[in-house]
């Protein structure tokens, strides 16, 4: 299933180098953390020097990930030149955040599963068919016969679990389930990891969800559903931005909804757009109009507009494509 | 893994009889429908005469199940005496509903996975370790080398998917994932079946969820969360009782919550209680105080009390057990 890549080159890369810096994208999700920490633990167990950097560091919700102390917020200065740079779950080299640009370093290795990956690294292992970057990495680990601890397997399991929305809403083959079975055999605990991944939220998130559902709007014969997240809503409920991840799922549960989106106020002139779709509607087309990207059924962008203007612009693009 | 049962007797039972009536429980969920219809299709493909009965017939939300036309609402009179009676996903012989009692028929075969199963049938195939009754049946089908069509596999997949809450929140072994992989190889489509199972709700259910979240209360340092469902709420939102299935899940997402429950007004003097728990709290103990039963982490009962009295009684039992 996995597309062609140079396995021998990958083997040499891990063998011949002794220091690695693993980066993943900002606004990290379960696969960003899981694939980065999982790979970090694998390399550490090989006796390598490893640091993992994610712009936000280790967020509260992901503290359960075993071995997560390997993760640090990135320093402003670039690492030692002999440390090799690996990007995981990033479709392009801008995804880690502005600190990485300031380092002015090339990317040596890139593990990813996004279809719009720009193959920016010296060595690219990209499989758009894979459920998650964790899957891409674990399949390589298997092929290279590298040892995978219970801790690393648990991280990869969380990547797989969260990027497939608990084995739902993506097209994937039986091999994805067989991979999950392998990770469980290596020690990943499906019950514990799912409780931590999906039921580990503070009460503030419940209050935020309540506000979001209360102001959700359905338009165009309920084919489009959307909500707007203001800074005020975070303050009122005592919640933080990361806690609104996956709220679009509640809108997508309505069978008439083809496109669900949300707009988040980052500043009075900057708005984050997040889009989800069903039934073959390609939300990447909408995101790309605003300079963003993603998958066919999940995409996003940042708009240099206030909330109201952004709402009008996005609704107008979606309506045009729906016709 | 599966406990002892008489495989030879099961083989003869299917071979020597030509007419089967399959029943499952009232207030049917995905496993009630999936295991009943799946088994029905298997027997039909063997050239047997098969009818499947569920008290409510085929509910709107489950119309997507392939081959579901095999399902009928039960008639008041008992079937022909030579038709063998099979109960699936029922821990006791009262679960199908009052019509079955009035038939005055013994149960010939019982497939189930509930720990409190009373082994009421002539032949009992009960595995409390199994994720779902669909799993119990599919493992027998495999052992007996009976053909399993894409349609039957899809029904079993829905049973597995819904009873494990999409492979979450239950302790299960790697074999459960391998079973999912087998069903997918037989033709079950994980994406399509998960969309139908979890995203196939009318807008009215969204409005009901909104009302439920708005009136959810957290008590005892937010260790207990609960809501009350009145007939008025159904009418106001245009929704029907079945649509509130799984709403307790949203309360369980809050990390402080140990017990979540809901009370549904069936009449001014009859209240349905549904309980869910985390962290080793056994809700069967609460349900059994009111004459109900279930699993350790999911149980229920019917109380001959009005909503307010029921609320006080249930809260008092839970508080006593929490201490």
């Amino acid at each position: 299933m996995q597309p062609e890549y140079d396995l021998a080159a990958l083997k040499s890369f891990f063998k011949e180098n002794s220091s690695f810096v693993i980066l993943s994208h900002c606004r990290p999700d379960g696969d960003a953390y899981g694939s980065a920490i999982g790979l970090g633990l694998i390399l550490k167990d090989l006796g390598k020097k490893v640091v993992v950097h994610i712009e936000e560091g280790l967020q509260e919700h992901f503290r359960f990930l075993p071995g997560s102390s390997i993760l640090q917020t990135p320093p402003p200065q670039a690492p030692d030149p002999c440390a090799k740079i690996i990007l995981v779950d990033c479709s392009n080299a801008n995804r880690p955040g502005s600190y990485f640009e300031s380092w002015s370093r090339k990317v040596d290795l890139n593990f990813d599963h996004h279809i719009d990956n720009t193959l920016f690294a010296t060595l690219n292992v990209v499989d758009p068919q894979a459920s998650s970057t964790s899957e891409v990495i674990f399949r390589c680990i298997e092929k290279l016969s590298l040892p995978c601890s219970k801790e690393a397997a648990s991280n990869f399991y969380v990547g797989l679990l969260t990027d497939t929305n608990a084995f739902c809403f993506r097209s994937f083959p039986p091999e994805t389930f067989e991979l999950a079975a392998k990770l469980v055999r290596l020690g990943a605990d499906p019950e514990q990891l799912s409780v931590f991944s999906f039921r580990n939220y503070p009460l503030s998130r419940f209050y935020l969800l309540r506000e979001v559902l209360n102001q959700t709007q359905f338009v165009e014969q309920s084919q489009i559903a959307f909500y707007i997240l203001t800074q005020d809503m975070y303050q009122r409920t005592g919640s933080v931005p990361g806690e609104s991840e996956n709220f679009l799922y509640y809108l997508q549960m309505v069978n008439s909804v083809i496109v669900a989106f949300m707009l988040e106020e980052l500043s009075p002139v900057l708005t984050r757009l997040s889009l989800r779709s069903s039934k073959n509607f390609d939300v990447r087309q909408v995101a790309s109009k605003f300079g963003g990207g993603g998958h066919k059924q999940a995409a996003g962008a940042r708009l240099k507009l206030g909330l109201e203007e952004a709402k009008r612009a996005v609704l107008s693009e979606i309506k045009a494509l729906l016709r």
Side-chain angles (χ1 to χ4, degrees), chain A:
Chain A
M1 276 200 315
Q2 194 143 321
E4 297 279 312
Y5 63 90
D6 192 338
L7 190 68
L10 188 64
K11 191 174 176 176
S12 314
F13 178 78
F14 286 143
K15 198 169 173 184
E16 288 163 16
N17 296 292
S18 60
S19 175
F20 300 93
V21 176
I22 302 171
L23 314 177
S24 192
H25 57 83
C26 54
R27 290 195 78 100
D29 53 19
D31 195 30
Y33 280 117
S35 63
I37 298 171
L39 177 61
L41 296 175
I42 297 276
L43 296 177
K44 210 176 153 194
D45 287 347
L46 293 173
K48 310 292 183 178
K49 189 175 164 228
V50 187
V51 189
V52 181
H53 289 311
I54 286 182
E55 192 170 67
E56 291 88 344
L58 184 60
Q59 292 175 321
E60 183 64 31
H61 180 68
F62 289 101
R63 285 192 194 279
F64 71 94
L65 289 169
S68 57
S69 59
I70 202 171
L71 197 136
Q72 298 166 18
T73 40
Q77 69 281 16
D80 193 278
C82 70
K84 294 293 167 180
I85 307 282
I86 307 176
L87 256 65
V88 299
D89 204 37
C90 295
S91 54
N92 63 62
N94 301 326
R95 295 285 285 120
S98 55
Y99 74 90
F100 182 59
E101 253 172 273
S102 77
W103 285 5
S104 300
R105 286 284 292 269
K106 70 177 174 55
V107 179
D108 299 294
L109 172 60
N110 159 32
F111 282 112
D112 191 33
H113 76 124
H114 291 90
I115 199 165
D116 57 352
N117 189 292
T118 57
L119 305 176
F120 51 85
T122 307
L123 188 55
N124 297 287
V125 184
V126 179
D127 180 2
Q129 302 293 321
S131 64
S132 55
T133 298
S134 291
E135 174 173 340
V136 174
I137 295 174
F138 182 71
R139 294 205 187 279
C140 289
I141 300 304
E142 272 193 305
K143 280 192 186 155
L144 295 172
S145 303
L146 299 179
C148 181
S149 65
K150 175 184 168 173
E151 288 69 30
S154 300
N155 278 279
F156 294 140
Y157 186 87
V158 169
L160 182 62
L161 181 72
T162 55
D163 248 32
T164 58
N165 278 306
F167 305 97
C168 293
F169 317 134
R170 288 268 175 88
S171 165
F172 48 78
E175 285 82 0
T176 304
F177 286 110
E178 282 157 357
L179 186 141
K182 282 180 191 172
L183 294 171
V184 174
R185 276 188 213 288
L186 286 167
D189 180 333
E191 182 179 25
Q192 193 195 49
L193 295 171
S194 71
V195 168
F196 278 128
S197 296
F198 300 126
R199 276 203 201 159
N200 185 25
Y201 294 108
L203 187 54
S204 53
R205 182 180 180 272
F206 182 93
Y207 293 134
L208 185 65
L209 174 62
R210 190 142 92 172
E211 287 223 17
V212 159
L213 298 192
N214 279 330
Q215 58 104 300
T216 293
Q217 291 180 55
F218 295 89
V219 297
E220 297 283 298
Q221 294 84 47
S222 304
Q223 292 180 96
I224 306 173
F226 69 95
Y227 63 84
I228 287 171
L229 261 175
T230 61
Q231 290 300 323
D232 196 41
M233 285 164 74
Y234 287 125
Q235 278 153 29
R236 205 159 45 223
T237 56
S239 55
V240 294
E243 287 172 17
S244 63
E245 284 299 324
N246 299 326
F247 282 1
L248 284 173
Y249 171 66
Y250 299 95
L251 283 56
Q252 289 188 282
M253 290 169 77
V254 177
N255 54 19
S256 59
V257 171
I258 296 172
V259 189
F261 73 91
M262 76 100 187
L263 294 167
E264 181 183 359
E265 177 187 37
L266 299 180
S267 84
V269 292
L270 188 63
T271 297
R272 188 171 79 95
L273 165 68
S274 183
L275 295 142
R276 296 286 181 280
S277 75
S278 321
K279 296 171 193 161
N280 264 333
F281 188 96
D282 186 354
V283 283
R284 246 179 326 173
Q285 283 190 56
V286 181
S288 70
K289 293 269 179 186
F290 301 104
H295 303 277
K296 185 178 172 188
Q297 305 212 312
R302 285 179 184 225
L303 284 68
K304 287 181 182 159
L305 294 171
L307 283 172
E308 271 307 311
E309 280 171 294
K311 181 180 113 179
R312 276 195 297 274
V314 172
L315 270 176
S316 146
E317 285 298 335
I318 295 172
K319 284 179 186 173
L321 284 165
L322 264 181
R323 267 157 212 151

